[in-house]
Amino acid sequence: MNETLVTVVGNVATQPDFRQAAHGSAVSRFRLAATVRRWDRQRQEWADAYTSFYTVWAWRALAANVVGSVSVGEPLIVQGKLRIQEQEREGKRWLSADIDAVSIGHDLARGTSAFRRVVPAKPLPVDPVRMAGAQGGSPPGGRRDAPRAMPYDSPGAPSDRPPNPGPDAPEVLPVLVGGGVEVPPAEEQAMAAPL
């Protein structure tokens, strides 16, 4: 219950790796270098002192987002639970500082970043045209190969925006990518429904 929560500001030292844990959860790991800077009075400038290295562990959705967002050398702010582990390798005693991350983000004091919200994947609805074709019947309008909806940014989509298809039009979800769906702005979610 008495866990040590820390916030560490540093740079990514190794490329994040991604794997599935034995119990099925996604896990990502990378090294974070945090260098102490001190004011050197003699030279009248900032100078690097010592560097501490932390192994940062991210789990589940955070793990997937880290792999898609973080690269070596980028400045990060990591918040999480500190764990100091003692190990013995080849007769030598080693201490390692691990952080079980709760939150990871780019340090915006040192650059800019673009945020993309990711929502959990949902199954696509059954297309009524394919259902009618599979049952041997004919869909409304009599055409089995007619597309039901087409995103505006897809090849072959109409260049001008048609009017709203109305409340009776089927709901069309974006294509699933990498276990999640990127949510586009509201004006890009309108879909055309040619019959």
Side-chain angles (χ1 to χ4, degrees):
M1 286 285 175
N2 296 327
E3 301 191 50
T4 304
L5 293 176
V6 295
T7 301
V8 180
V9 178
N11 292 326
V12 179
T14 61
Q15 188 64 35
D17 64 354
F18 181 85
R19 63 178 180 228
Q20 298 285 42
H23 58 280
S25 292
V27 62
S28 177
R29 173 185 68 175
F30 65 93
R31 300 278 287 163
L32 184 73
T35 302
V36 173
R37 307 229 340 134
R38 306 239 190 249
W39 180 253
D40 186 340
R41 291 184 190 198
Q42 291 177 341
R43 296 191 332 208
Q44 294 293 308
E45 64 183 22
W46 288 98
D48 290 345
Y50 58 90
T51 301
S52 297
F53 288 89
Y54 301 89
T55 300
V56 179
W57 295 87
W59 297 86
R60 293 173 282 288
L62 181 58
N65 292 341
V66 163
V67 170
S69 304
V70 173
S71 297
V72 173
E74 294 180 345
L76 293 183
I77 301 173
V78 176
Q79 183 178 35
K81 298 172 219 158
L82 179 65
R83 281 186 295 130
I84 305 296
Q85 298 200 23
E86 188 175 336
Q87 300 173 355
E88 191 168 319
R89 292 186 225 156
E90 300 173 5
K92 295 181 182 178
R93 187 175 144 213
W94 291 81
L95 290 176
S96 68
D98 293 3
I99 299 174
D100 285 329
V102 173
S103 183
I104 298 173
H106 286 103
D107 184 356
L108 297 182
R110 297 168 54 196
T112 61
S113 185
F115 180 79
R116 289 181 309 276
R117 183 175 304 277
V118 176
V119 295
K122 295 179 183 176
L124 292 174
V126 176
D127 187 356
V129 172
R130 288 192 202 131
M131 284 292 292
Q135 296 172 353
S138 180
R143 293 176 45 198
R144 289 177 198 235
D145 60 343
R148 295 294 294 166
M150 179 183 307
Y152 282 108
D153 56 354
S154 66
S159 59
D160 55 337
R161 212 174 269 266
N164 187 347
D168 295 332
E171 179 183 351
V172 178
L173 297 175
V175 176
L176 301 177
V177 177
V181 177
E182 190 171 310
V183 178
E187 65 269 10
E188 292 181 14
Q189 289 185 1
M191 299 292 199
L195 291 178

